Amino acid sequence: MTSCLMKRFLLILFLTLSVPALASDPAGEPAAAPATAQPLFADVEIEARLNRLSRELRCVVCQNEALSDSPAELAGAMRQEIRDLMKAGKTDQEVLSFLTSRYGDFVLFRPPFKPVTYLLWIGPFLFLGFGVLVWFVALRARRTHKSAPVTSAQLAAAARLLEDKP
């Protein structure tokens, strides 16, 4: 994870230092602004779908980072693969099916509810139920436990122990 953060920092530093150099032509004059702003990618709808879908997917390199946020090279390749599948007319569900067949359920932040993942989905509730049961049994045992009255023999033994101490 620190490797991803370091790469991000270096990328931001590089971009920050290189933007002023790119803003002027070799003669030193500022570059003219384009007449109309061109979209970064040709199909805005596909990019919107890609951004929405890549927030639900896990980067297999960074593991706990969304695919949309990951600077890893494999994450870029995965985003391009998703883009190509969408351009080929695949639905979001078909893209997810393709990625899970290739990388497994690990690539999903919300894995499906199936026999392999039952414990993952039900486990927290089982642990909570077990904790409540233990707490309830402990409280009940505490309430029903009655201490026996202290006998005179026990009091005498305690007194002798106290007298023997220097």
Side-chain angles (χ1 to χ4, degrees), residues 6-146:
M6 181 60 85
K7 287 178 184 177
R8 245 189 225 166
F9 173 75
L10 291 175
L11 179 66
I12 291 170
L13 180 65
F14 173 75
L15 289 174
T16 304
L17 295 175
S18 63
V19 168
L22 295 174
S24 62
D25 64 3
E29 297 177 18
T36 59
Q38 298 294 323
L40 187 58
F41 299 104
D43 194 346
V44 177
E45 181 184 333
I46 286 179
E47 291 305 313
R49 282 178 58 201
L50 171 70
N51 287 335
R52 184 178 57 250
L53 193 62
S54 64
R55 279 188 235 112
E56 297 176 18
L57 298 170
R58 180 189 321 265
C59 174
V60 294
V61 175
C62 303
Q63 296 191 358
N64 283 332
E65 192 168 2
L67 187 63
S68 61
D69 298 333
S70 176
E73 189 174 326
L74 181 60
M78 287 174 70
R79 287 189 295 265
Q80 185 59 47
E81 183 71 28
I82 293 170
R83 194 175 286 118
D84 293 341
L85 289 169
M86 288 178 174
K87 285 179 183 176
K90 302 289 184 187
T91 65
D92 290 354
Q93 190 57 43
E94 290 171 329
V95 171
L96 286 174
S97 297
F98 172 78
L99 290 172
T100 53
S101 69
R102 180 177 270 185
Y103 299 105
D105 289 334
F106 177 76
V107 77
L108 303 172
F109 272 125
R110 286 180 273 150
F113 189 72
K114 59 185 185 179
V116 175
T117 60
Y118 283 165
L119 189 59
L120 177 69
W121 285 101
I122 299 173
F125 299 108
L126 291 175
F127 280 115
L128 180 64
F130 181 71
V132 168
L133 180 69
V134 167
W135 179 67
F136 181 73
V137 168
L139 280 180
R140 182 168 270 242
R142 192 175 184 191
R143 285 184 190 159
T144 59
H145 179 69
K146 302 232 186 227

